[in-house]
Amino acid sequence: MMQLIDGLKISRAIKAEIAEVVKELQAQNKRVPHLAAILVGNNIASATYVNGKIKSCKEVGFQSTLIQLPDTITEHELISEIHLLNNNDAIDGFIVQLPLPKHIDEKDVINNILPSKDVDGFHPVNVGKMVLDLPGFLPATPKGILELLKRYHIETDGKNVVVVGRSNIVGMPVNIMLSKKAYPGNATVTLCHSATVNLKSYTLEADIIIAATGKINLITADMVKDGVVIIDVGMNKLEDASKKRGYRLVGDVDFENVSKKASYITPVPGGVGLMTVASLLQNTLEAYKGTYYDKLIGL
Ligand code: GUN
């Protein structure tokens, strides 16, 4: 029997855990954690994600600040905003929502975030810490995926995991994290991408497939074995005249047909996306506590 992996239920449970901690801080008359988000331009998807992050802050009792900047902003001006947040003691952590307009170099921008406030885990220092298994901020989406595997007690030890997609946000880090000698982890991970020849030959061998490509119906039922675990990270818009908005959200996996062969599968929406936000809140709480970095020196 296929079991749905309920990202809504798990993300709510995580938020409830965080809200408890915030209540305790408030009872002690302490300041609450404060997350800031920078949103550049008017990409509707990015605005939706950032609004979800701000709304979730309110739900758990965090303070939040949304900084909206026009897409005409220069890279230099954006980096100046980042330096203000780096130096603002009232902000525990912040994110710069990606993608950025084409005239801005994402690597330059990320390099300017103070690692101790980089709750997205995108700065090279945090990526390096992740690779070397040192304490640091883990990127939110992969962290959320591991949390789902853990809370559903899904075995990963010695399993074949096929990751499809090599982005810095999902594919690359989840590949590294599931390769570690840990639970969830200790898996044999294969990272497939746009240059992979015969993707199906890999996915057919997979016990767990993590699809993060942004391509609708990339993973079809003929490409998976019976009992496969499916983690669908895709967030694609599909035209749907029956919806008020004119579209619906679908993942990278042909859910209707693949779910018939899967043992576990994440729905879209209601799966991984909500976990990204929950993980971001967890990271912000750790930033507040100063778990990974000395707050005074930022290292
Ligand atoms: N764009 C897509 N996913 C993410 C994310 O987790 N963080 C940021 N900052 N941008 C994103």
Side-chain angles (χ1 to χ4, degrees):
M1 259 309 281
M2 180 274 286
Q3 206 187 331
L4 213 54
I5 297 180
D6 189 344
L8 182 60
K9 186 176 88 179
I10 305 293
S11 65
R12 277 185 179 154
I14 290 170
K15 285 196 229 174
E17 291 161 18
I18 295 171
E20 280 303 310
V21 177
V22 174
K23 266 192 203 149
E24 187 58 33
L25 293 170
Q26 284 165 330
Q28 296 168 12
N29 285 316
K30 288 190 176 140
R31 172 180 90 77
V32 298
H34 187 168
L35 174 73
I38 298 182
L39 174 62
V40 182
N42 36 29
N43 179 317
I44 292 174
S46 290
T48 306
Y49 300 148
V50 169
N51 289 334
K53 291 169 185 180
I54 297 289
K55 183 167 153 257
S56 295
C57 281
K58 297 196 168 114
E59 282 169 16
V60 301
F62 283 6
Q63 204 181 332
S64 60
T65 298
L66 172 59
I67 299 167
Q68 281 184 278
L69 301 169
D71 58 12
T72 51
I73 194 169
T74 65
E75 183 176 312
H76 185 81
E77 288 166 335
L78 175 56
I79 288 172
S80 299
E81 290 286 342
I82 288 171
H83 290 165
L84 289 177
L85 294 175
N86 284 344
N87 296 322
N88 183 345
D89 289 339
I91 305 280
D92 298 290
F94 65 95
I95 65 157
V96 180
Q97 188 67 25
L98 304 178
L100 289 169
K102 281 192 192 66
H103 66 279
I104 298 177
D105 184 335
E106 286 183 0
K107 288 192 170 72
D108 288 346
V109 168
I110 290 167
N111 263 320
N112 277 281
I113 299 173
L114 193 66
S116 59
K117 294 193 178 190
D118 170 37
V119 286
D120 257 332
F122 291 169
H123 187 281
V125 164
N126 283 313
V127 178
K129 285 177 168 236
M130 172 192 68
V131 171
L132 296 175
D133 218 4
L134 298 168
F137 294 111
L138 296 172
T141 303
K143 181 178 164 116
I145 292 169
L146 267 67
E147 193 67 35
L148 287 177
L149 294 171
K150 192 160 135 188
R151 296 210 185 201
Y152 278 83
H153 309 290
I154 292 167
E155 186 59 79
T156 58
D157 199 304
K159 298 296 181 189
N160 288 337
V161 175
V162 170
V163 176
V164 192
R166 56 180 153 183
S167 71
N168 289 344
I169 296 179
V170 184
M172 177 274 284
V174 83
N175 169 36
I176 292 165
M177 288 160 70
L178 286 174
S179 302
K180 288 181 188 299
K181 197 163 186 172
Y183 178 76
N186 217 20
T188 303
V189 189
T190 305
L191 184 57
C192 296
H193 47 72
S194 51
T196 297
V197 177
N198 199 354
L199 177 62
K200 182 176 174 177
S201 68
Y202 296 93
T203 56
L204 273 175
E205 297 297 319
D207 302 302
I208 301 172
I209 297 173
I210 299 176
T213 67
K215 295 190 175 71
I216 296 177
N217 285 342
L218 181 73
I219 307 297
T220 48
D222 60 303
M223 295 170 70
V224 307
K225 67 178 181 185
D226 279 318
V228 68
V229 174
I230 299 284
I231 306 292
D232 191 350
V233 191
M235 288 270 226
N236 310 301
K237 276 187 188 177
L238 183 65
E239 262 189 55
D240 185 342
S242 73
K243 299 280 174 194
K244 262 181 277 173
R245 293 179 297 188
Y247 66 87
R248 64 190 162 95
L249 270 188
V250 297
D252 294 351
V253 177
D254 173 8
F255 183 90
E256 186 186 341
N257 295 302
V258 172
S259 61
K260 290 172 186 154
K261 294 176 86 175
S263 57
Y264 293 89
I265 186 165
T266 61
V268 178
V272 174
L274 300 165
M275 294 302 296
T276 299
V277 182
S279 302
L280 177 66
L281 297 175
Q282 288 179 317
N283 280 351
T284 303
L285 182 58
E286 299 306 333
Y288 170 91
K289 291 186 195 163
T291 308
Y292 306 126
Y293 292 88
D294 183 316
K295 279 205 175 182
L296 287 177
I297 56 177
L299 287 171

